Amino acid sequence: MKNYSRVWLSLFCFSVILNLLLVTYLLIHEGNSTPISRFGNSNDHNELSWTRKSAKEAEIVAAISCSGHGRAYLDGLPATTNSLEGIDFPLPSCECNSCYHGSDCSQFSSDCPADADSGDPLFLEPFWIKHAESGTMTVPGWHRMSYQFMYPQKSTLYSRELERHIRELHAMVGNANTTGKFMIFGAGSTQLLNAAIYALSPQDPPPITKIVASIPFYQLYKNQTDFFNSKSFKWGGDTSMWKHRSQSPEFNSTTNFIEFVTSPNNPDGKLKDHVLLESPDVKTIYDHAYYWPHYTAIPAPAKEDLMIFTLSKLTGHAGTRFGWALIKDEDVYKRFLDYMILSSLGVSRDCQLRSLKLLKVVLRNGKEFFEFGQKTTMTRWEKLNKTVSASKRFSLQKLVPQYSTYFRNITAPSPAYAWVKCEREEDEDCYEALLRDGGIIGRAGSTFHAENRYVRLSLIKSQDDFNWLLQRMDALVSQEQVHEENGAEML
Amino acid sequence: MKNYSRVWLSLFCFSVILNLLLVTYLLIHEGNSTPISRFGNSNDHNELSWTRKSAKEAEIVAAISCSGHGRAYLDGLPATTNSLEGIDFPLPSCECNSCYHGSDCSQFSSDCPADADSGDPLFLEPFWIKHAESGTMTVPGWHRMSYQFMYPQKSTLYSRELERHIRELHAMVGNANTTGKFMIFGAGSTQLLNAAIYALSPQDPPPITKIVASIPFYQLYKNQTDFFNSKSFKWGGDTSMWKHRSQSPEFNSTTNFIEFVTSPNNPDGKLKDHVLLESPDVKTIYDHAYYWPHYTAIPAPAKEDLMIFTLSKLTGHAGTRFGWALIKDEDVYKRFLDYMILSSLGVSRDCQLRSLKLLKVVLRNGKEFFEFGQKTTMTRWEKLNKTVSASKRFSLQKLVPQYSTYFRNITAPSPAYAWVKCEREEDEDCYEALLRDGGIIGRAGSTFHAENRYVRLSLIKSQDDFNWLLQRMDALVSQEQVHEENGAEML
């Protein structure tokens, strides 16, 4: 009996210890998960209330598998079947990269052309997926309904926090000196480029302003100028026509000029400076969309009177439509503001919030971010170069390594675009006759007012797009070599 | 000894039962909270991973107290002191409603004028706070980086889901017939109004298009036309000048007209129709910003060839900058698209996502939403009317109850603005001499090309703004009565 008692005692002790352990665990665990009341003020934020549903939704959509060749978005078209049960919203379907299809983007069409046309900067997407936590934002339904930011001294249409972060970013990267400059936001550089023309060309008195750029140039400059069809300005063509303008038969002393300088240049990635000589009747707009360490060495901070930058080519968020201008002259700044108010009442406050969120991540992870971007473009450029160097028909623009003040190092070229040239005299229409027939979609030289023996190929799209482009180029170059060998045999 | 053994046995049994209960509780509890792996596919969504931080941030910012007279936003200026501990980001400071100040907006300045100037639609904010859960969205860092929505058949700059929801909303409300109409998105009606002018006025051949509107009209029509200074169109003034235009000395058979019709009208809230007779040289832009049940009875669905709507006045999200046009003619639609591409490469995809999120809430809670909106504007109008009816100096526009197909009922007037008139002949400058000196900021009649004996007062701002406006108007009217009594005593 004594033994029994001892056994019970031992078992009891064991059970009591187990109970104590379980209760302790429960107390600690529960202590961490007291729900905070809605809008309540609490220091314990592990539990969420009204944001939980949208957060869940975002995680569910992110978890949809598109085989690594596409992506499902919150506002995608509803898929025909729900792949997850118990969800009260229709799941969006995958949006596939070019040449991929099927409900999960797993099927590849090998007869599909490699699309290297647009400057869609998806090469930066992997960075944002890696930094999922810090790049995500939660926007309550009542966020900034007003037209205005209600700052204590003055209401504005623009986020001062965003402006402050942009200045900080330029200082960190060393690509622009913002001291003493006004800043204006726009819907990408697209809206700002047109605003700049309006801001720089006086409406009256009537002297017309000629808008000029150096071939090859980004076609938007001309297209916008033509479309807006203003009494104040008109397209003036290539800068070389006006370099010695006093000798030009069309010269008129009352003509003003606005020169667009794109640096690095789109399409050829070269750093550029103005062509027209400085004079009171010449104004210059510096389009610095690509003046970031992913695309070029940064020799020195830009400090021109009117500079335009865009989020699209910086963080890769082309869809957000956000850009900014740095402006020295106060009157020009005021006309810029007028344009923004009359054109769209400023930039979407939602898009300002998102830009701020993204720039905070870039500021916090600057080195990693720019190294990732630069490494990607550099590697792509190297690979394409290697392929093209085996060809006698095609060549690429010449770019040389340069010292980058950002990386404090000599950096190899890493342009956003390849500016392909067809070297043979008979290949006047390089794009139509060679690349397009070889299954490559590029942008013909004529789009940039250059000869059609040039074609721009984008190096900043998704990895799928680049891989397919490279394969197609490889095939074209191999074909050329086979032809040559055959030709040699025939001799 | 036997007894001891029994006691131990009983205690042991009790302890074991407790063990079992605790373990069962833990198993159930843990079963509900297994974390889903990042981007993992799981049916259990109670736990969040990479969205948790931003969700927490949103809840913390929403919990900042601004005494009910202001609000803290995610992108607000950092407050000098953190009111919550253990948070790794600077908390934003409160942005206070007009006349309120202090770090928590608790202080009121009674010498501050009542600001009834802008059409900032904050009267709808309480609805969005009530529907916190369904109105909130979580946007991952990699959301829609591309310029394009990659739909299977065709890439676009526009969300088809958003378009579908807008069509559904018009069908539910019965305020527009969208059948057979193309849809285009813009940065609020602001961008669309200008786009419409460009889309309707042919660039060549050269006949100039005159842009006209009926006094009193929304000043943006003229300001935009003047600013863009196009060769294709110019401001033509009040429609009444052109009603019988063949008799006008300025008449030229090659002149085209574009008439702006704002219905309900801004400023006076009246339903309007075109004034110029229909003819091939006359095009009409219907600005239906206020054609929603909060502001007017809906007699029938609008079905004009070119109609413009905006989210600002529908959901109250003016800051989002989103609107849409419904267009019958395909050529006009194509030129509209050209404008949108050349002006801003379409509308921010972030702002399209947010608009979709908000419209889903409106569609799901239509009756509650429009009843809340209509009740607010109607009550404000009634209160102001009651105050003004005691005055001989001031009067308001006459609006009558009408049958609303939406509410299936006769509804009392509920305009967005009061169009105040000073009745006495000597009060030519009603705004300067009476209202502004009485501490009320409104928008002078001349802004709408009407006489300055009219002033527009906004009824759609925050409740604080309306309450203060009403108090100031009460004071003005009481003052008038005291003056009258004093005058009577003097006789």
Side-chain angles (χ1 to χ4, degrees), chain B residues 329-430:
Chain B
D329 186 86
E330 190 168 359
D331 288 335
V332 174
Y333 164 72
K334 282 180 182 163
R335 272 185 66 80
F336 233 112
L337 261 186
D338 285 347
Y339 181 98
M340 291 308 306
I341 288 169
L342 291 170
S343 159
S344 59
L345 267 173
V347 171
S348 166
R349 317 315 176 241
D350 304 349
C351 135
Q352 294 187 48
L353 174 66
R354 184 140 197 244
S355 304
L356 177 63
K357 185 82 196 177
L358 300 168
L359 291 187
K360 280 181 177 172
V361 180
V362 173
L363 276 164
R364 215 176 299 128
N365 308 276
K367 201 147 176 281
E368 183 196 343
F369 174 72
F370 289 113
E371 274 179 358
F372 170 77
Q374 197 259 356
K375 203 180 145 199
T376 309
T377 43
M378 187 184 68
T379 310
R380 292 183 180 186
W381 172 251
E382 272 171 7
K383 285 185 177 168
L384 188 69
N385 236 315
K386 200 176 150 205
T387 294
V388 172
S389 65
S391 161
K392 284 177 187 161
R393 301 189 86 161
F394 302 114
S395 70
L396 298 183
Q397 76 264 43
K398 297 284 165 278
L399 295 168
V400 291
Q402 270 187 292
Y403 183 79
S404 173
T405 53
Y406 178 73
F407 290 119
R408 295 166 190 260
N409 221 326
I410 306 279
T411 55
S414 57
Y417 306 106
W419 186 231
V420 180
K421 185 182 176 188
C422 275
E423 291 288 345
R424 294 190 190 166
E425 206 158 321
E426 66 269 29
D427 290 342
E428 270 175 28
D429 199 346
C430 186

Side-chain angles (χ1 to χ4, degrees), chain A residues 1-2 5 8-9 11-12 15-16 18-19 22 25-26 29-30 36 38-41 45-46 48-52 54-57 59 62-63 71 73-78 84 87 95 120 125 128-130 132-133 135-147 150-151 161 190-191 198 203 220 223-224 226-232 313 315-321 339 341-345 348-351 354 356-357, chain B residues 1-2 5 8-9 11-12 15-16 18-19 22 25-26 29-30 36 38-41 45-46 48-52 54-57 59 62-63 71 73-78 84 87 95 120 125 128-130 132-133 135-147 150-151 161 190-191 198 203 220 223-224 226-232 313 315-321 339 341-345 348-351 354 356-357:
Chain A
M1 284 305 263
K2 204 178 170 185
S5 185
W8 289 130
L9 179 61
L11 284 171
F12 171 68
S15 179
V16 164
L18 187 62
N19 270 325
L22 286 168
Y25 176 82
L26 269 173
H29 193 85
E30 291 292 283
I36 62 166
R38 186 171 155 202
F39 300 101
N41 195 330
H45 311 290
N46 284 322
L48 299 168
S49 60
W50 51 272
T51 57
R52 173 177 285 278
S54 84
K56 242 196 271 181
E57 202 174 291
E59 293 205 0
R71 200 158 293 291
Y73 297 104
L74 286 159
D75 55 359
L77 299 177
L84 292 173
I87 309 303
E95 298 183 24
D120 225 359
E125 203 189 51
W128 296 105
I129 289 174
K130 187 179 167 201
E133 188 174 78
T136 297
M137 68 172 189
T138 301
V139 189
W142 63 87
H143 177 78
R144 291 221 180 272
M145 296 175 64
S146 171
Y147 290 103
M150 299 290 277
Y151 294 133
E161 270 299 275
T190 311
Q191 193 181 23
Y198 274 94
Q203 283 194 298
L220 187 76
N223 295 352
Q224 274 187 341
D226 290 346
F227 187 88
F228 282 91
N229 195 27
S230 163
K231 280 183 204 151
S232 318
K313 300 301 188 283
T315 67
H317 293 79
T320 295
R321 312 303 313 124
Y339 180 99
I341 288 169
L342 291 169
S343 160
S344 59
L345 266 173
S348 167
R349 316 315 176 240
D350 303 350
C351 133
R354 184 140 196 245
L356 177 63
K357 185 84 195 174
Chain B
M1 284 305 264
K2 202 179 175 185
S5 186
W8 287 130
L9 178 62
L11 283 171
F12 172 67
S15 184
V16 164
L18 191 61
N19 281 158
L22 286 168
Y25 177 82
L26 269 175
H29 192 85
E30 290 292 283
I36 62 167
R38 186 170 155 202
F39 299 102
N41 194 330
H45 311 292
N46 284 323
L48 299 167
S49 60
W50 50 273
T51 57
R52 173 179 285 278
S54 85
K56 242 196 272 182
E57 201 174 291
E59 294 205 0
R71 200 157 293 291
Y73 297 105
L74 286 159
D75 54 0
L77 300 178
L84 293 171
I87 309 305
E95 297 184 24
D120 225 0
E125 202 191 51
W128 296 106
I129 289 175
K130 186 177 167 201
E133 187 174 77
T136 297
M137 68 173 189
T138 301
V139 189
W142 62 87
H143 177 78
R144 292 221 180 274
M145 294 176 65
S146 172
Y147 290 103
M150 299 291 277
Y151 295 133
E161 271 299 275
T190 311
Q191 193 182 23
Y198 273 96
Q203 282 194 299
L220 187 76
N223 295 352
Q224 273 188 340
D226 290 346
F227 186 88
F228 281 92
N229 195 26
S230 164
K231 281 182 200 150
S232 317
K313 299 302 188 283
T315 66
H317 293 80
T320 294
R321 311 304 313 125
Y339 181 98
I341 288 169
L342 291 170
S343 159
S344 59
L345 267 173
S348 166
R349 317 315 176 241
D350 304 349
C351 135
R354 184 140 197 244
L356 177 63
K357 185 82 196 177

Side-chain angles (χ1 to χ4, degrees), chain A residues 122-418:
Chain A
L122 286 170
F123 76 110
L124 290 167
E125 203 189 51
F127 176 87
W128 296 105
I129 289 174
K130 187 179 167 201
H131 290 267
E133 188 174 78
S134 51
T136 297
M137 68 172 189
T138 301
V139 189
W142 63 87
H143 177 78
R144 291 221 180 272
M145 296 175 64
S146 171
Y147 290 103
Q148 306 213 292
F149 291 74
M150 299 290 277
Y151 294 133
Q153 267 70 47
K154 201 186 160 204
S155 299
T156 72
L157 303 178
Y158 301 103
S159 161
R160 274 202 219 142
E161 270 299 275
L162 179 52
E163 177 172 341
R164 188 170 69 78
H165 280 79
I166 292 172
R167 288 184 194 269
E168 211 176 298
L169 181 68
H170 281 304
M172 181 184 95
V173 175
N175 68 336
N177 184 344
T178 64
T179 313
K181 296 277 200 312
F182 298 95
M183 195 186 293
I184 288 217
F185 301 159
S189 56
T190 311
Q191 193 181 23
L192 292 164
L193 294 167
N194 195 241
I197 297 180
Y198 274 94
L200 288 178
S201 54
Q203 283 194 298
D204 31 56
I208 199 144
T209 301
K210 281 194 197 295
I211 316 294
V212 297
S214 300
I215 291 171
F217 59 79
Y218 180 38
Q219 76 270 27
L220 187 76
Y221 308 144
K222 179 177 188 301
N223 295 352
Q224 274 187 341
T225 305
D226 290 346
F227 187 88
F228 282 91
N229 195 27
S230 163
K231 280 183 204 151
S232 318
F233 52 79
K234 66 180 280 191
W235 185 248
D238 187 36
T239 42
S240 64
M241 288 165 57
W242 303 102
K243 199 172 175 184
H244 307 287
R245 59 193 180 282
S246 55
Q247 293 152 29
S248 159
E250 275 195 63
F251 180 73
N252 177 330
S253 64
T254 64
T255 305
N256 289 312
F257 288 87
I258 294 176
E259 178 181 354
F260 273 108
V261 177
T262 325
S263 182
N265 195 31
N266 173 3
D268 62 20
K270 295 190 176 161
L271 291 174
K272 304 274 252 176
D273 204 350
H274 62 99
V275 168
L276 299 190
L277 297 177
E278 278 178 44
S279 107
D281 58 348
V282 173
K283 307 271 195 306
T284 315
I285 299 170
Y286 285 83
D287 179 349
H288 284 317
Y290 301 90
Y291 199 52
W292 295 103
H294 352 291
Y295 310 110
T296 178
I298 306 290
K303 53 183 198 316
E304 297 96 359
D305 289 356
L306 203 167
M307 305 186 269
I308 292 173
F309 291 87
T310 168
L311 194 76
S312 309
K313 300 301 188 283
L314 164 59
T315 67
H317 293 79
T320 295
R321 312 303 313 124
F322 181 78
W324 62 95
L326 294 168
I327 303 156
K328 189 182 172 193
D329 185 87
E330 190 168 1
D331 289 335
V332 174
Y333 164 72
K334 282 179 183 163
R335 272 186 65 80
F336 232 111
L337 260 186
D338 285 347
Y339 180 99
M340 292 308 305
I341 288 169
L342 291 169
S343 160
S344 59
L345 266 173
V347 171
S348 167
R349 316 315 176 240
D350 303 350
C351 133
Q352 293 187 48
L353 174 67
R354 184 140 196 245
S355 305
L356 177 63
K357 185 84 195 174
L358 300 168
L359 291 188
K360 279 180 178 173
V361 180
V362 173
L363 276 164
R364 216 175 299 126
N365 307 277
K367 200 147 179 277
E368 183 196 344
F369 175 73
F370 288 113
E371 274 180 359
F372 170 78
Q374 197 259 357
K375 202 179 146 197
T376 309
T377 42
M378 186 184 69
T379 311
R380 292 183 180 185
W381 172 251
E382 272 171 7
K383 285 185 176 168
L384 188 70
N385 236 316
K386 199 177 151 203
T387 295
V388 172
S389 64
S391 161
K392 284 177 187 162
R393 301 189 88 162
F394 303 114
S395 69
L396 300 183
Q397 76 264 41
K398 298 284 167 279
L399 295 170
V400 291
Q402 270 187 294
Y403 183 79
S404 175
T405 52
Y406 179 73
F407 291 119
R408 294 165 190 261
N409 221 325
I410 306 279
T411 56
S414 57
Y417 307 107

Side-chain angles (χ1 to χ4, degrees), chain B residues 201-276:
Chain B
S201 54
Q203 282 194 299
D204 31 56
I208 199 143
T209 301
K210 280 194 197 294
I211 316 294
V212 297
S214 301
I215 291 171
F217 59 79
Y218 179 38
Q219 76 270 29
L220 187 76
Y221 307 144
K222 178 176 186 303
N223 295 352
Q224 273 188 340
T225 305
D226 290 346
F227 186 88
F228 281 92
N229 195 26
S230 164
K231 281 182 200 150
S232 317
F233 52 80
K234 65 181 281 188
W235 185 249
D238 187 36
T239 44
S240 63
M241 288 165 55
W242 304 103
K243 197 171 177 184
H244 307 288
R245 59 191 177 282
S246 56
Q247 292 152 29
S248 159
E250 274 197 65
F251 181 73
N252 177 331
S253 63
T254 64
T255 305
N256 290 312
F257 288 88
I258 294 176
E259 179 182 354
F260 274 107
V261 178
T262 325
S263 181
N265 194 32
N266 173 2
D268 62 21
K270 297 190 174 160
L271 291 174
K272 305 274 253 174
D273 205 349
H274 62 99
V275 168
L276 299 190

Side-chain angles (χ1 to χ4, degrees), chain A residues 103-120:
Chain A
S103 65
D104 62 352
C105 304
S106 61
Q107 291 161 57
F108 181 74
S109 305
S110 59
D111 58 346
C112 165
D115 188 344
D117 181 25
S118 89
D120 225 359

